[in-house]
Amino acid sequence: PPYIPEDNIFGVYMREFTVSDEYADKDVFINFEGVDSCFYLFVNNKFVAYSQVSHCTSEINISNFVKKGVNTLKVIVYKWCTGSYLECQDMWRMSGIFRDVFLLYRSKERISDIWVNTELSEDFSSAKLVADIKYVGDENSTYTLTSPEGKVISKGKANEKLEISIPEVSLWSDETPELYMLSLF
């Protein structure tokens, strides 16, 4: 430590997968839930990505590299990388793909990220829900905010900065876990 050995062993994983006609108009993502220590990803013999967050999820958009029909996936996993010593956990140093790998097919128009925060008034009688929404493609979504009793408080068109006032808010506690539901469509 902290140098990578010159003889850095690696493993090569190869697999074929098929993209059927029903998914041809979707964006394709591959999700690696755990690879130790780093990997290079190739789809149809083209370099796509490098990742070295071994104990976290790596999600990679491979839409520009796949085609309808049979595709080839190659992953080269190295035993050591520059992050190996940063992740010096009490663990066995066994390299490879140690968690699930799967494909995700997503609509080309979708919500890619959302951050929801609530702001309470000083006397805790009312609140404001603020949501920052990131879209891919068209911003054509609607929202519904439902009270803990199931009553619709607010609904309408969602935009990148959504602000909803809740006049008589029910506060959450261990004894009365009042939960509001925000749904985006």
Side-chain angles (χ1 to χ4, degrees), residues 8-66:
N8 192 0
I9 61 174
F10 61 90
V12 178
Y13 299 80
M14 290 179 52
R15 181 163 204 138
E16 288 184 343
F17 65 96
T18 304
V19 176
S20 64
D21 288 339
E22 71 178 292
Y23 297 114
D25 63 338
K26 306 261 186 203
D27 282 341
V28 184
F29 292 80
I30 189 164
N31 191 306
F32 293 88
E33 290 192 337
V35 180
D36 195 301
S37 79
C38 68
F39 69 89
Y40 291 89
L41 172 65
F42 296 84
V43 175
N44 295 324
N45 292 321
K46 293 190 172 104
F47 172 74
V48 176
Y50 169 82
S51 179
Q52 66 178 37
V53 290
S54 64
H55 291 269
C56 294
T57 300
S58 296
E59 186 174 290
I60 302 160
N61 187 341
I62 60 172
S63 302
N64 294 333
F65 300 92
V66 296

Side-chain angles (χ1 to χ4, degrees), residues 38 48 62 78 89 115 128 169 176:
C38 68
V48 176
I62 60 172
Y78 281 88
Q89 299 142 355
W115 176 262
K128 182 169 64 169
V169 69
T176 56

Side-chain angles (χ1 to χ4, degrees), residues 42-105:
F42 296 84
V43 175
N44 295 324
N45 292 321
K46 293 190 172 104
F47 172 74
V48 176
Y50 169 82
S51 179
Q52 66 178 37
V53 290
S54 64
H55 291 269
C56 294
T57 300
S58 296
E59 186 174 290
I60 302 160
N61 187 341
I62 60 172
S63 302
N64 294 333
F65 300 92
V66 296
K67 62 185 189 293
K68 279 196 297 187
V70 178
N71 293 272
T72 305
L73 180 72
K74 291 180 191 169
V75 183
I76 302 172
V77 179
Y78 281 88
K79 182 173 178 87
W80 303 102
C81 71
T82 56
S84 294
Y85 303 109
L86 297 173
E87 294 184 347
C88 237
Q89 299 142 355
D90 186 19
M91 63 182 185
W92 293 98
R93 291 281 182 191
M94 299 174 77
S95 299
I97 299 173
F98 62 92
R99 290 191 185 129
D100 289 344
V101 177
F102 53 90
L103 295 177
L104 294 169
Y105 295 94

